[in-house]
Amino acid sequence: MFLDLKRLLSHLPTDVDRHDTFLLLQHVLKIPYEKLFFTKKINITDQEFIELDKYLHLRSVGMPIAKIVEHKAFYNNEFKTTIDTLDPRPETELIVDLFLKYFPYKSAHISILDLGCGTGCIGLSIIDLYPNATLCLADISEEALAVAEDNAKNTNLKQRCSFIKTDWFKNINGQFDAVVCNPPYIENGYQLDKSTLYDPHIALFGGNDGLEAYKEILPCVRKFLRSGGFLFLEIGIGQRIEVCKIAKSTTVIEIAKDLQGIERTIVFCNG
Ligand SMILES: C[S@@+](CC[C@H](N)C(=O)[O-])C[C@H]1O[C@@H](n2cnc3c(N)ncnc32)[C@H](O)[C@@H]1O
């Protein structure tokens, strides 16, 4: 049926903001977002209308758009995300920016380990910029690895990727030029806000002090880094001092702040 866009909007739940409504409408109708602004009449089937109504209700109870439409933009690509993966966060893009700073030669033959890869957004965004780089995507969650594999296919990067199910370094062999990692770092029991409630527990919580993953990863990382290799590690708010203490002899070469001025990524060098 053809419907006047204004009339359609007046039939939909009003507690979802207009931008989100348009994003969901775009998703259902599979037309570009900008096009909606120039469209007066919408061609929508009954099925699409029901689907849109369902999505708007999910949004009105707090489900993030990314979890509803099952994808999210990160750096230069769109990544599939599901209930088994953390939705890529904008602050994590800082790891890609730092990588570009420490590996200035785009044609370099670099090997990278993305530890706790989730959707694979960090590692895949990096090798998309380095045509000769290879990537090992590792996670304890089989479901997350399947999503990372889909993302590798969708970004045409799969031929340079390998996938390993592992508890941190337990099943990892060999050495890498770089390790990138955004581990779970929220303290157990922390009251999550609505948008984070839909991310998997295993991707969020890092034990009673939020530091469990760092205690597993940092004492072993040098063994898996070539001499002169780098670890790019995301941290939570206020964790810099404790994480640097855990790192002991691994040299910290930069502590980078995200766009909100929060210390977010530590760069370590195996030098
Ligand atoms: C904060 S999420 C980060 C996901 C992705 N790298 C990103 O930045 O969007 C942490 C990831 O670590 C994985 N993880 C949790 N515990 C792990 C473990 N013991 N060994 C390997 N991966 C683990 C989770 O499954 C999750 O995918």
Side-chain angles (χ1 to χ4, degrees), residues 8-265:
L8 170 71
L9 293 173
S10 70
H11 285 292
L12 294 169
T14 50
D15 49 350
V16 175
D17 78 39
R18 188 53 61 99
H19 173 64
D20 288 355
T21 303
F22 272 48
L23 283 174
L24 294 172
L25 190 56
Q26 170 212 11
H27 176 68
V28 169
L29 298 178
K30 296 175 187 60
I31 59 172
Y33 185 87
E34 317 75 61
K35 213 177 153 192
L36 282 175
F37 289 101
F38 302 105
T39 306
K40 285 217 166 87
K41 292 241 184 256
I42 297 281
N43 188 7
I44 188 165
T45 63
D46 288 350
Q47 192 53 43
E48 286 168 338
F49 190 85
I50 292 166
E51 203 182 346
L52 179 63
D53 195 52
K54 182 181 89 185
Y55 290 162
L56 284 165
H57 277 101
L58 289 173
R59 183 71 196 117
S60 69
V61 296
M63 187 182 267
I65 293 280
K67 280 281 182 284
I68 301 172
V69 302
E70 296 203 312
H71 60 87
K72 180 142 186 221
F74 182 89
Y75 225 82
N76 294 335
N77 288 293
E78 207 50 57
F79 288 91
K80 174 177 169 181
T81 181
T82 70
I83 49 162
D84 297 308
T85 54
L86 184 93
D87 294 341
R89 304 290 205 265
E91 61 270 25
T92 305
E93 293 183 331
L94 181 57
I95 294 185
V96 185
D97 288 334
L98 288 164
F99 198 98
L100 285 163
K101 176 174 166 186
Y102 288 92
F103 289 92
Y105 301 108
K106 296 269 182 65
S107 57
H109 289 75
I110 320 167
S111 62
I112 304 160
L113 170 65
D114 185 345
L115 197 58
C117 64
T119 56
C121 61
I122 307 174
L124 292 168
S125 297
I126 292 171
I127 68 161
D128 197 23
L129 301 167
Y130 292 81
N132 297 315
T134 55
L135 174 66
C136 174
L137 295 130
D139 206 289
I140 199 164
S141 157
E142 243 166 65
E143 293 80 9
L145 280 171
V147 173
E149 197 167 340
D150 281 346
N151 281 323
K153 261 186 236 155
N154 297 341
T155 48
N156 293 318
L157 297 166
K158 196 174 167 211
Q159 66 284 6
R160 289 191 277 134
C161 295
S162 56
F163 303 85
I164 297 184
K165 181 176 184 229
T166 177
D167 182 357
W168 299 129
F169 286 113
K170 287 205 179 102
N171 299 334
I172 304 290
N173 292 309
Q175 289 192 311
F176 301 85
D177 297 301
V179 176
V180 293
C181 183
N182 171 21
Y185 51 64
I186 297 175
E187 287 171 27
N188 288 355
Y190 183 85
Q191 231 19 62
L192 296 174
D193 67 44
K194 253 190 186 174
S195 62
T196 316
L197 278 178
Y198 294 86
D199 285 316
H201 191 280
I202 197 168
L204 297 172
F205 291 103
N208 289 334
D209 56 2
L211 299 167
E212 284 309 313
Y214 302 107
K215 291 177 198 160
E216 294 282 329
I217 294 164
L218 284 166
C220 315
V221 70
R222 289 179 70 175
K223 193 173 147 213
F224 297 92
L225 278 177
R226 295 211 172 96
S227 171
F230 295 95
L231 164 67
F232 300 85
L233 185 66
E234 182 163 321
I235 56 168
I237 297 175
Q239 289 180 326
R240 192 234 323 148
I241 294 174
E242 288 307 315
V243 172
C244 288
K245 264 192 220 159
I246 298 165
K248 283 187 192 149
S249 62
T250 314
T251 317
V252 174
I253 51 167
E254 181 167 353
I255 291 151
K257 291 182 178 167
D258 65 19
L259 291 174
Q260 294 187 65
I262 296 166
E263 288 175 333
R264 186 57 71 188
T265 305

